[in-house]
C-alpha cells in the first residue's frame, strides 16, 4: 500500500472554488488559502440555512497505544454517507505541530480516509494555531509589562500613566506562555532575569498551544462578539489582595480578539474522495473539552444532511465533555453516537496483555484470541452503555485490521448488540475509502431515524463539588471523588465568587476509565483524587486535575522530524 | 484627514485575481490568501521574464524619533511612477507584530500611501513570521531534547538510539528561542527547571522573530534548494570540544525547511492606488541586513519596469548592507538611490535641539529655522556622498510636512544638489498619494538613465578584521575599530575555520553615523568598539556587535494594544 502522503498526492481533488460551489456557498463568503483550502466567513451563519443536518458524534473505546483509527473512521463514515447518496460534511480538529514533528509525522486521518492536501492540514493549515499563540502570548507579555512598569514607577505609576494600578501578584500569575511545539525544557522556567531593565523575575511555564484556555474559548464561541466577551472574562492573575485580574482590566482583550478574528472562521478542506471537511480549533480532551468548534458544527449543519464530528479519546472524555460542556453551551444535539472499536484495541483493554512502548507487541494481538477479546469487550459494553446514558442511539464501528479473524469480528459485533448498540458495522475505510464504510453509513442513517431524548449528567444548578462527584459516579463508574484540602478551598472560593453554575471538566488520563492508567477494562472500585480545580472563566467551565496532566509534551530520542525533508523536486517527504 | 485604517478601508482595491492578471501572472502561480492578497509561486522565477526592470533603492538620512516617512515615500514613489505612466512594483518588508501592539499600531505606510488592506498587512499577513518562529523554535526544542536524551541515556545513548553523540555544550548554545512579540521578561531566563524529566537546566534567551538568523536566511535565499542548504549550515551550538553543531548534524534542517516552504513565496498586495506591492521577510537592519528578499526583488524585476525597494534605517545601515551583503549574494544592482529627507529630521540631526521621548518637541521644529536646518544638512550631504560612493546616482526625496516653509524646502534642495544629488523632488504622497510623488517619479526615471558603475567597499578576499576597519572608515566616516580581546579571538577563530571570505554586518545604533547615539550630524573623530563577532553561516555573513543591540523589545507603560479592538460591526479599530 502507498504511504499516506503518496495517497494524498494522488487523490483527485476539487479546486476550493468548485468545492464551495457544490455546497452552494456564495463565493464572497469564502476566503481562499491556496487552491485547496479556504476559510468560511462567519456571515454564512446569517444566511438562511440550506439544510437542517443531523449530527453524528464519533467516540471510541478506551484508547490504546495501538491507535483505534477514530479520525480515519470519522472521515470514512462521512465518505461512506456520500457513497450511499447522502450529503455529508465532517468536522474535525486541527492537528498540533508538536506531535507532527515529535511522534508521528501526521494527523489528518490515514490511508484512503484522509484530509487532503495532508501536508497543508498537518503543517500551518491557515495559521489559526499561530494566531492563537500570538494572542495568548500578547496577554502574557502585557501582564509582565504591567507588573514591571507598576514596580518600576512605584507610587508614581498612576500619575505618570493615568492608569489605575492593578497590583498584580507575581506569585499568582495564572496565565502561562505558549508555543505549538514539543519542548519539555519550557515546562518550568524562571523569566525576567536580566536585571532591573529586563522585567520582574518570576517562575513561569509554557504550555502547548492546544492547552491554552484560548483554544477552548475559540472552539466554544458562538460569534465574534461572544469571543470578545469571553476573552475579556479570562482571569490572567490574582492581585495582591487575591482578586482576579482579567484581560478586560488589562485592556488587552480587544487586541487579542483582533488577532483571532480570522482564526474564528473554520477552514474548508476535502477528503481523498472530495467529501467536504471543516477543520477548526484543537482543544485537548483532558484540560479542555476536546471537540471541534461550535461554529464549524453550526455551519456544517446548515449546509448538509449529515455532519460527522469527532470527540477526543474515549466516551468518558470527549463524548462526556461534548454533552455536558459543548452541548450545554451550544444547544447542538447529536442524533446518533458512533463508537469506534478494534479487535486489537479491545484485546489491549482486556488487561491480560503486557503492552509497553518500545517493547515488541504480544503475539496474541495479531492472532485469533477469542478469550482475550471477550474479556476486552467489557470495555466496549461500558462505553456503549455510557453513551446511551445521554439518550442517543449508539452504533459500533468496527475498524477492521488485516489480522482480525472472522470469528473475532463476529464476537465483537455480538457483544456490541448485547450491550445495547442499535447497530454495528465493519469499516474498511483505511484501505477502501468510502466504499469500505458504506455498511457503517447505512447503520448510521438508520440510527438517526430512531427517537432520542438528550439527558445531561447534572443540572446547571448543582454545586461544583456535587457535579464532580456525579461525574465520577455516573460518567466514569467510580465510587466518588477525594478532594484535596487545596481543591476544597478552591471550590469554596469559586462558589462564593458565583461560579457554581458552570459545568466541570475533569483532566484525567484517557487510558483508563478511572484516573489511574494501570486500571484496564472496566474498573469500578476507585475514587478519583482531585488535586486542584481551576476556573476557565472565558471558556465557561471549571477544570479539575485528577493526577498529573502533561500540558507541554517533549521530543523523544528518535523524533519524527529527522525524516521530514524536501526532495529534489521541492516536494515534502517523510510526513505520514 | 481620515485615519490610516479609514483611508485603507475606503480605498478602491482590485481583487487579487485581477491584480495578478494585470501583471500577466498565470493564475496557477498565485496562491490566494483571502480576496486581496496572495503568495506567488517560486515557479514564476522559471518563466521567461516579461520585463527587465530597474531597481530603485530607497534609503534615508540618519533616522530620528520624528519619523522620516521612508515607507510612505517608497510606496508613494511607486504610485508616482504609475501616475506618470510607468509600470512599477514596490518590494518592502513585513511588519513585526511586536511594534504593532507595542508602540505604533501599524507599519504599512500611512495616509494616502499605504499597503491595503492595512489590517491584513499589519497583523498575520500570510503567516510567514509565524512559520519562521515555528521553524526556529523547532531547532531550539530539538537541540534541548538532544542535550537531554544524551545526558539521560549517558554512555547508552548510541546503543539505544543508533545515533552518534553530539556532545552539545549546554554553556555554549548559540541558538535562542523566538517570539514575534515585545516581551522584555523573556530577554534572559533559565529553562529546564522542572527536575530530571523536564530537560537540562541552562540559561536561555528569546529574540523577536525579525532578529532570528532564519529571517536573514529567508531574505537572502535564491530558491528552495538554497534555503535548505543554508539552513543545514546554521551553527546552533558548540560541542564540548568547541566544534560547531549544525542544523544538518541535528537532522532538523529538512523539517525546518518544510515549515518555511510557503514562507519563501513573496506576498502580493497593493497600495491605496492599486500599485502592486510584494511584501516579504523582515530582517532587522542592525544584526541582519535590513532589506526585503532577493526572491521578491527578482520576481518584481521580471514583471515590471521599475521596482522600488526600501532599505532599513539610514544609508550607513540598510543601504550599506544592501550593497555589501545583499548585492554581493544576489548580483542585483540598483539603477538609482533615493534618499528620503525631511526638514524636521534634518533639524533634529543638527545636534542643536534637545529632543527627548516623552518631552514636548522644541518649537523650532514646527517653525521656520534656516540656521538649524542648514546645520542639519551636513547629515544629508554625508548620506548623499555615502550613497554615491557605491557608484549609483542619488535623488533626494523631500517628504513634505505642513510646517515646512518654502525657504526651508528650497534650502534643503539646494544643499542636496551641492552635495552631489543628481536631482531633488518634494513628495506629498502622504496627503496626495501618487500624484503627490509624480515630480519625484520623474526625477527617478531621469536618474535611472544615467550611467552607473557599482563599487563595493571591500573585496571578498580581504580579511574580516580589515573589512571591519574599512567599513568604519569608508562606510561610517570614523577613524577605525577597537576590537575587544574577545572579538580578536573570535576573528582569529573564524579566519582559521575558513570564513574570511564572508562580508561583515555591523550591528550598531541607527541613530548616529557612529556607534554612539549621542553623536549627531556628521561625527568623524570616533573609533567603533567591537565587543563581539558572531558567524551567521546560513545567512552568509559575520556580524559584529558595536554596543548593546536590543533583540527583544519591551512594551511601554502605555502600549498601543490598549486601543485596538473590534467595534459592533466586527471591524478592527485602533490600528493606525
Amino acid at each position: 500500500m502507498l504511504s499516506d502522503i503518496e495517497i494524498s498526492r494522488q487523490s483527485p481533488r476539487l479546486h476550493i472554488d468548485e468545492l464551495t460551489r457544490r455546497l452552494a456557498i456564495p463565493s464572497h463568503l469564502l476566503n481562499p488559502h491556496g487552491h485547496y483550502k479556504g476559510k468560511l466567513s462567519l456571515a454564512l451563519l446569517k444566511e438562511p440555512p440550506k439544510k437542517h443536518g443531523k449530527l453524528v458524534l464519533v467516540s471510541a473505546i478506551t484508547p490504546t497505544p495501538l491507535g483505534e483509527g477514530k479520525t480515519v473512521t470519522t472521515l470514512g463514515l462521512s465518505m461512506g454517507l456520500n457513497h450511499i447518496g447522502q450529503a455529508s460534511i465532517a468536522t474535525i480538529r486541527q492537528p498540533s505541530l508538536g506531535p507532527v514533528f515529535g511522534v508521528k509525522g501526521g494527523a489528518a486521518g490515514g490511508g484512503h480516509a484522509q484530509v487532503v492536501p495532508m501536508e497543508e492540514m498537518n503543517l500551518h493549515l491557515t495559521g489559526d494555531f499561530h494566531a492563537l499563540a500570538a494572542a495568548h502570548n500578547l496577554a502574557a507579555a502585557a501582564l509582565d509589562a504591567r507588573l514591571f512598569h507598576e514596580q518600576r514607577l512605584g507610587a508614581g505609576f498612576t500619575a505618570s500613566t493615568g492608569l489605575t494600578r492593578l497590583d498584580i501578584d507575581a506569585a499568582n500569575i495564572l496565565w502561562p506562555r505558549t508555543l505549538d511545539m514539543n519542548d519539555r525544557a519550557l515546562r518550568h522556567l524562571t523569566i525576567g532575569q536580566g536585571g532591573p531593565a529586563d522585567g520582574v523575575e518570576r517562575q513561569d511555564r509554557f504550555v502547548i498551544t492546544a492547552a491554552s484556555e484560548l483554544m477552548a474559548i475559540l472552539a466554544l464561541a458562538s460569534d465574534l462578539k461572544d469571543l470578545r466577551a469571553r476573552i475579556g472574562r479570562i482571569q490572567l492573575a490574582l492581585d495582591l489582595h487575591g482578586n482576579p485580574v482579567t484581560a478586560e482590566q488589562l485592556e488587552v482583550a480587544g487586541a487579542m480578539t483582533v488577532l483571532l478574528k480570522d482564526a474564528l472562521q473554520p477552514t474548508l478542506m476535502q477528503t481523498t474522495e472530495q467529501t467536504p471537511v471543516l477543520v477548526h480549533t484543537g482543544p485537548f480532551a483532558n484540560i479542555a473539552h476536546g471537540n471541534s468548534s461550535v461554529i464549524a458544527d453550526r455551519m456544517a449543519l446548515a449546509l448538509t444532511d449529515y455532519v460527522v464530528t469527532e470527540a477526543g479519546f474515549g466516551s468518558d472524555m470527549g463524548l462526556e465533555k461534548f454533552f455536558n460542556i459543548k452541548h450545554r453551551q451550544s444547544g447542538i444535539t447529536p442524533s446518533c453516537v458512533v463508537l469506534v472499536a478494534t479487535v486489537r484495541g479491545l484485546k489491549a483493554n482486556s488487561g491480560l496483555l503486557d503492552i509497553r512502548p518500545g517493547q515488541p507487541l504480544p503475539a496474541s494481538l495479531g492472532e485469533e484470541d477469542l478469550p482475550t477479546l471477550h474479556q476486552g469487550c467489557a470495555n466496549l459494553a461500558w462505553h456503549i452503555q455510557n453513551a446511551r446514558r445521554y439518550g442517543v442511539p449508539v452504533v459500533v464501528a468496527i475498524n477492521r485490521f488485516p489480522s482480525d479473524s472472522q470469528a473475532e469480528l463476529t464476537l465483537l459485533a455480538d457483544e456490541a448488540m448485547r450491550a445495547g448498540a442499535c447497530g454495528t458495522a465493519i469499516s474498511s475505510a483505511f484501505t477502501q475509502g468510502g466504499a469500505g464504510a458504506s455498511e457503517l453509513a447505512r447503520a448510521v442513517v438508520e440510527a438517526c431515524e430512531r427517537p432520542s431524548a438528550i439527558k445531561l449528567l447534572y443540572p446547571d444548578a448543582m454545586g461544583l463539588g456535587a457535579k464532580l462527584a456525579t461525574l465520577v459516579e455516573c460518567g466514569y463508574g467510580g465510587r466518588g471523588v477525594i478532594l484535596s484540602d487545596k481543591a476544597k478551598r478552591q471550590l469554596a472560593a469559586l462558589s462564593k465568587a458565583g461560579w457554581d453554575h458552570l459545568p466541570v471538566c475533569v483532566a484525567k488520563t484517557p487510558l483508563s476509565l478511572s484516573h489511574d492508567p494501570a486500571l484496564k477494562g472496566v474498573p469500578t472500585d476507585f475514587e478519583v483524587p482531585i488535586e486542584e480545580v481551576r476556573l476557565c472563566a472565558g471558556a465557561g467551565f471549571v477544570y479539575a486535575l485528577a493526577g498529573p496532566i502533561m500540558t507541554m509534551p517533549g521530543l523523544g530520542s528518535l523524533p519524527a522530524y529527522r525524516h521530514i525533508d524536501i526532495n529534489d523536486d521541492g516536494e515534502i517527504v517523510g510526513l505520514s
Side-chain angles (χ1 to χ4, degrees), chain A residues 144-495:
Chain A
D144 272 301
R146 185 65 170 259
L147 184 67
F148 168 75
H149 289 297
E150 289 194 16
Q151 206 167 97
R152 181 178 63 89
L153 295 166
F157 176 78
T158 296
S160 157
T161 61
L163 303 174
T164 306
R165 292 182 72 87
L166 292 177
D167 285 329
I168 296 158
D169 181 0
N172 266 310
I173 290 190
L174 308 171
W175 196 246
R177 284 178 169 77
T178 194
L179 279 181
D180 190 23
M181 200 54 67
N182 284 8
D183 197 349
R184 73 168 61 69
L186 297 182
R187 284 178 193 154
H188 300 279
L189 62 159
T190 304
I191 61 170
Q193 292 190 311
D198 293 338
V200 176
E201 184 166 332
R202 68 174 184 88
Q203 295 193 309
D204 198 10
R205 63 197 176 94
F206 275 72
V207 299
I208 195 165
T209 303
S212 164
E213 183 186 346
L214 265 190
M215 187 63 90
I217 290 174
L218 196 72
L220 289 168
S222 55
D223 56 28
L224 189 61
K225 205 167 176 173
D226 182 43
L227 178 70
R228 173 65 182 78
R230 285 171 181 267
I231 290 176
R233 290 197 291 269
I234 295 173
Q235 298 192 356
L236 299 170
L238 299 183
D239 68 14
L240 294 170
H241 318 288
N243 301 312
V245 176
T246 65
E248 199 66 58
Q249 287 171 285
L250 193 58
E251 301 179 283
V252 73
M256 291 169 74
T257 309
V258 162
L259 281 167
L260 288 173
K261 195 169 182 285
D262 294 342
L264 195 58
Q265 301 175 353
T267 298
L268 176 64
M269 295 185 76
Q270 63 194 294
T271 69
T272 34
E273 295 179 2
Q274 302 97 53
T275 306
V277 181
L278 290 183
V279 185
H280 203 205
T281 73
F284 277 172
N286 43 40
I287 61 157
H289 62 289
N291 282 270
S292 181
S293 78
V294 168
I295 287 177
D297 286 355
R298 191 165 286 153
M299 272 188 187
L301 289 168
L303 289 168
T304 194
D305 295 320
Y306 290 90
V307 175
V308 184
T309 192
E310 180 187 1
F313 299 138
S315 83
D316 52 323
M317 301 292 285
L319 178 140
E320 180 272 312
K321 295 171 204 280
F322 181 96
F323 283 103
N324 293 307
I325 297 175
K326 188 178 172 186
H327 164 78
R328 196 183 292 269
Q329 294 196 18
S330 70
I332 299 173
T333 307
S335 299
C336 148
V337 162
V338 170
L339 272 178
V340 179
T342 62
V343 168
R344 309 193 313 171
L346 288 172
K347 287 178 182 170
N349 266 301
S350 69
L352 300 174
L353 305 179
D354 186 21
I355 301 175
R356 295 187 203 176
Q359 305 253 345
L361 291 174
S364 158
L365 277 178
E367 294 165 4
E368 184 173 287
D369 181 350
L370 296 170
T372 300
L373 175 61
H374 187 262
Q375 176 126 348
C377 279
N379 184 268
L380 172 65
W382 187 93
H383 283 286
I384 293 169
Q385 285 148 14
N386 183 51
R388 287 192 58 193
R389 183 190 316 273
Y390 294 96
V392 179
V394 177
V395 172
V396 171
I398 305 167
N399 185 21
R400 182 178 199 156
F401 279 74
S403 57
D404 301 346
S405 78
Q406 190 54 51
E408 287 177 323
L409 294 168
T410 304
L411 173 63
L412 201 169
D414 289 349
E415 290 293 319
M417 293 308 285
R418 189 163 319 153
C422 72
T424 74
I426 288 172
S427 171
S428 305
F430 186 85
T431 49
Q432 294 168 48
S438 56
E439 186 198 346
L440 175 61
R442 279 189 207 95
V444 163
V445 168
E446 195 268 326
C448 284
E449 296 306 318
R450 294 184 176 231
S452 65
I454 194 162
K455 292 189 290 272
L456 301 185
L457 277 192
Y458 48 77
D460 290 358
M462 188 185 275
L464 291 168
K467 281 174 181 159
L468 281 172
T470 303
L471 177 50
V472 169
E473 289 159 31
C474 306
Y476 307 152
R479 287 196 286 108
V481 290
I482 305 174
L483 299 172
S484 71
D485 288 345
K486 188 180 186 185
K488 281 180 194 162
R489 280 197 309 275
Q490 290 169 322
L491 284 174
L494 287 174
S495 179

